[in-house]
Amino acid sequence: MIAMIDWQAFTPVSAFSGGMIIGLATALLLFVAGRIAGISGIVGGLLRLQRRDFAWRAAFVSGLLLAPWLWRELGTLPPVHIESNYAILALAGFAVGIGTRYGSGCTSGHGVCGLSRLSPRSIVATVLFMLMGMAIVYVVRHGWE
Amino acid sequence: MLVIIAALFSGLIFGLGLILSGMINPAKVLAFLDVAGSWDPSLALVMLGAISIGFFAFRWVRQRGQTLLSMPLHLPTSHVIDHRLILGSLLFGIGWGLSGLCPGPGLVLAASGQLAGIIFVIAMLAGMAVFDWLEKYRNTHLDHSQQKNIGK
């Protein structure tokens, strides 16, 4: 099972520079607030409605939600293609909600911040969710065989 | 106040990075996860780009031991690889593989007005709320001897 790279779809420049921008955002939050830019943790903390830490969490999520609006002010959003139906999306969202809170992080908290910190927990988490994601896509697209 | 402004800008920059990188397009994420199909390795470069900055940022701030405003850092301290980490990450992987969405891109997609993103985010918030409820239930229904064995 060797990957055939889809050179047509591969966008190395926007991917790497977008990643660097995400890294800069992470550095900003870290340097000023001393916090990990883990989206699931920040949103999860908001749901608990604790007064402490509420303001910076709300500010971060507000900034995140403003991003597509600002992008639209300057140009047009890149096209988005959704393959899953609404029932699958709801099921997936639910699994992501419980899973990220139970496992203490997602692609940003474990994947970006955790790997940057060389955290053993985050390395394990990232490998596991990547492998599981690949397994699910394999089953959905190519069947059990 | 400065912390709140920095958090707002950090979120905004983060979101712009997600849009530029292509992460808010579920098809692109699924094409990365589809290693047996026609593989799009872009997402690996998103991670590499972010970590190339994050690695030095975390090293520098750790040496400094405090924020630029001389406030304490809030970095995770746990090193335990327990069943919570493993099962939680696997469950997240299932949701990610089914939809091509993780929390950040889901929120940005929802904010852009895509119904798919809105459905995903509502379900995600429900999942998080259920997690909080389960945690609360667990904490109130375990006796102290059991509680000692949990966590650290």
Side-chain angles (χ1 to χ4, degrees), chain A residues 12-71:
Chain A
V13 176
S14 59
F16 192 77
S17 43
M20 282 174 70
I21 291 171
I22 292 170
L24 286 173
T26 301
L28 173 63
L29 192 70
L30 180 65
F31 291 169
V32 182
R35 299 283 178 169
I36 299 278
I39 313 283
S40 60
I42 293 175
V43 174
L46 272 183
L47 282 186
R48 295 186 174 185
L49 296 170
Q50 289 162 342
R51 207 182 273 176
R52 221 177 113 256
D53 293 342
F54 190 85
W56 75 265
R57 288 173 191 272
F60 181 90
V61 174
S62 305
L64 196 66
L65 298 178
L66 282 173
W69 168 80
L70 179 66
W71 191 287

Side-chain angles (χ1 to χ4, degrees), chain B residues 56-114:
Chain B
F56 294 102
F58 277 100
R59 257 173 72 117
W60 183 75
V61 93
R62 258 188 185 160
Q63 272 171 6
R64 208 184 131 86
Q66 53 186 15
T67 68
L68 292 178
L69 307 168
S70 302
M71 299 294 276
L73 300 171
H74 301 269
L75 300 180
T77 50
S78 172
H79 286 279
V80 210
I81 293 162
D82 55 5
H83 75 279
R84 292 170 69 91
L85 182 83
I86 292 168
L87 292 178
S89 300
L90 290 175
L91 189 57
F92 166 45
I94 293 175
W96 195 35
L98 282 176
S99 61
L101 285 169
C102 50
L107 285 164
V108 174
L109 196 63
S112 79
Q114 284 274 356

Side-chain angles (χ1 to χ4, degrees), chain B:
Chain B
M1 193 62 208
L2 213 52
V3 169
I4 293 168
I5 294 167
L8 179 75
F9 273 98
S10 173
L12 181 65
I13 296 166
F14 201 111
L16 295 174
L18 286 174
I19 298 169
L20 177 64
S21 67
M23 287 277 289
I24 68 158
N25 184 1
K28 197 159 177 66
V29 175
L30 292 175
F32 168 76
L33 293 174
D34 188 9
V35 283
S38 51
W39 190 50
D40 176 2
S42 305
L43 199 130
L45 287 184
V46 181
M47 297 289 285
L48 209 66
I51 292 167
S52 69
I53 304 261
F55 177 75
F56 294 102
F58 277 100
R59 257 173 72 117
W60 183 75
V61 93
R62 258 188 185 160
Q63 272 171 6
R64 208 184 131 86
Q66 53 186 15
T67 68
L68 292 178
L69 307 168
S70 302
M71 299 294 276
L73 300 171
H74 301 269
L75 300 180
T77 50
S78 172
H79 286 279
V80 210
I81 293 162
D82 55 5
H83 75 279
R84 292 170 69 91
L85 182 83
I86 292 168
L87 292 178
S89 300
L90 290 175
L91 189 57
F92 166 45
I94 293 175
W96 195 35
L98 282 176
S99 61
L101 285 169
C102 50
L107 285 164
V108 174
L109 196 63
S112 79
Q114 284 274 356
L115 182 59
I118 296 168
I119 289 169
F120 176 87
V121 165
I122 290 171
M124 179 180 85
L125 295 175
M128 289 177 169
V130 166
F131 167 82
D132 277 347
W133 181 80
L134 287 173
E135 285 292 282
K136 216 173 178 180
Y137 182 85
R138 204 182 66 128
N139 289 334
T140 48
H141 285 78
L142 290 179
D143 63 52
H144 291 290
S145 62
Q146 276 175 303
Q147 261 176 350
K148 266 183 195 163
N149 297 324
I150 292 173
K152 300 294 139 69

Side-chain angles (χ1 to χ4, degrees), chain A residues 93-140:
Chain A
F94 194 75
V96 167
I98 292 198
T100 52
R101 298 299 293 133
Y102 200 60
S104 319
C106 55
T107 12
S108 49
H110 280 313
V112 173
C113 297
L115 295 192
S116 292
R117 295 188 302 120
L118 303 175
S119 151
R121 266 171 65 85
S122 293
I123 294 169
V124 170
T126 307
V127 168
L128 288 177
F129 65 65
M130 288 239 171
L131 286 179
M132 184 52 105
M134 287 170 177
I136 293 293
V137 170
Y138 185 83
V139 170
V140 168

